[in-house]
Amino acid sequence: MANALQQAQPSNDEFSIDLAAIRERARQHIKDGAVTDSYGANRETVLKLLNESLATEIVCTLRYKRHYFMAKGIHAEPVAAEFLEHAGDEQRHADMLAERIVQLGGEPNFSPDGLLSRSHSQYVEGNTLNDMIRENLIAERIAIDSYREIIQYLGDRDSTSRRIFETILEQEEEHADDMADFLDHDDGAKN
């Protein structure tokens, strides 16, 4: 009976690809590399967002590295180890973003000139271990919110860049959770 119902209703799941048209379009504008006619986003806007995010990840890498080396005190060892791990993650994020910029025909901006003005987060050194944890948590929260907005903007117009940002966002949320745990532990020790 179910089989008869399936045959009676037209299928909306039909899908076909015009391979001849796709093959022809692939031969046109070949120098555009990965950017084809079906790319739905404004490439210049996406490149700007990617370069701002690249600057953000570089600033976060530098801040975490400084905090790793400057962490002092009886509770510093596990926190410093987390800072170092996060610095490596942030560098990998920067590399992913730079690679995507090149795929889209842009140039990753690694110039130290204007790095802070391009970055979403700030570079705050912090004087104490608690200050360092707080500043890293604040920076992670800034990255989380700005990357969520970028993901919303990208939507289905650039699914590859969106997935990169989703991957990075997932790790930034883990980093924020790690920093919040250290902050809770530290605040609990003071009470």
Side-chain angles (χ1 to χ4, degrees):
M1 178 123 172
N3 202 10
L5 285 174
Q6 288 174 341
Q7 290 175 353
Q9 296 177 358
S11 173
N12 291 333
D13 292 338
E14 292 182 25
F15 178 78
S16 66
I17 296 175
D18 184 351
L19 286 178
I22 289 174
R23 289 174 181 152
E24 181 58 33
R25 285 194 315 260
R27 294 182 184 286
Q28 299 169 357
H29 310 291
I30 197 162
K31 290 183 180 180
D32 289 341
V35 181
T36 65
D37 289 343
S38 65
Y39 183 78
N42 179 314
R43 191 167 57 104
E44 293 308 313
T45 300
V46 173
L47 288 171
K48 178 182 177 289
L49 294 170
L50 287 164
N51 263 311
E52 288 173 357
S53 301
L54 173 61
T56 301
E57 296 300 322
I58 293 169
V59 167
C60 288
T61 300
L62 295 172
R63 189 186 53 258
Y64 272 122
K65 285 291 255 189
R66 175 183 166 72
H67 291 171
Y68 165 72
F69 286 109
M70 296 303 294
K72 303 276 188 264
I74 194 166
H75 302 291
E77 190 175 325
V79 177
E82 198 70 30
F83 289 164
L84 183 60
E85 181 182 326
H86 290 195
D89 292 341
E90 303 295 349
Q91 182 60 58
R92 283 186 289 283
H93 299 165
D95 293 345
M96 291 168 59
L97 293 164
E99 183 177 354
R100 183 61 179 157
I101 291 166
V102 172
Q103 286 174 346
L104 292 176
E107 296 181 10
N109 188 346
F110 284 97
S111 175
D113 293 338
L115 185 63
L116 285 173
S117 65
R118 292 189 309 274
S119 173
H120 300 168
S121 66
Q122 299 164 307
Y123 182 90
V124 180
E125 293 177 350
N127 295 319
T128 67
L129 188 59
N130 195 44
D131 289 345
M132 293 176 202
I133 294 167
R134 284 181 187 280
E135 289 306 324
N136 286 314
L137 178 54
I138 290 166
E140 295 295 355
R141 290 172 52 83
I142 290 167
I144 288 167
D145 278 346
S146 62
Y147 293 169
R148 278 191 186 133
E149 287 187 26
I150 292 170
I151 289 165
Q152 275 190 313
Y153 166 76
L154 292 171
D156 291 335
R157 295 177 288 197
D158 182 342
S159 57
T160 303
S161 294
R162 186 192 70 234
R163 281 192 313 272
I164 290 169
F165 277 106
E166 288 170 344
T167 298
I168 293 170
L169 175 62
E170 182 180 354
Q171 281 201 312
E172 302 299 10
E173 289 175 341
E174 289 174 18
H175 291 175
D177 189 49
D178 293 341
M179 292 298 104
D181 286 348
F182 280 126
L183 204 56
D184 285 347
H185 182 270
D186 187 51
D187 289 343
K190 288 181 180 179
N191 291 335

